[in-house]
Amino acid sequence: MGLIANDGLQDEQLHFLALARNSLTGPIPSEVALLTRLTSLALSDNSLTGRIPSEVALLSLLTTLALSDNSLVGLIPSEVALLSSMSSM
């Protein structure tokens, strides 16, 4: 099991981040917004907790957001739901 390290979220050229089924724990760090070129974020089938950070809405190129089968709480932030590029959530 492991946490998503904040210092690992520095690559501004990253387009796809696929970490499904990696036994990740803890919250999704708000620093995910630093990945400004990200088009796909796949974090399904982990043990992530907390809320989906509203900063995800800053990922204006995001087309796919996969967060199923975690222990996330709350609603999807309305800002995230309004991303015009989103095709799969």
Side-chain angles (χ1 to χ4, degrees), residues 3-58:
L3 299 169
I4 298 177
N6 291 348
D7 60 349
L9 299 175
Q10 303 284 328
D11 189 349
E12 296 163 356
Q13 297 303 311
L14 189 66
H15 292 267
F16 301 95
L17 182 58
L19 295 173
R21 293 181 290 281
N22 272 282
S23 300
L24 298 174
T25 61
I28 300 170
S30 59
E31 288 83 1
V32 72
L34 297 173
L35 301 173
T36 57
R37 296 286 204 193
L38 204 63
T39 59
S40 179
L41 178 59
L43 300 174
S44 299
D45 298 309
N46 284 294
S47 296
L48 298 173
T49 58
R51 298 183 178 276
I52 299 170
S54 60
E55 289 84 357
V56 170
L58 299 173

Side-chain angles (χ1 to χ4, degrees), residues 69-80:
D69 297 316
N70 281 292
S71 296
L72 298 168
V73 297
L75 300 173
I76 297 171
S78 58
E79 303 92 351
V80 175

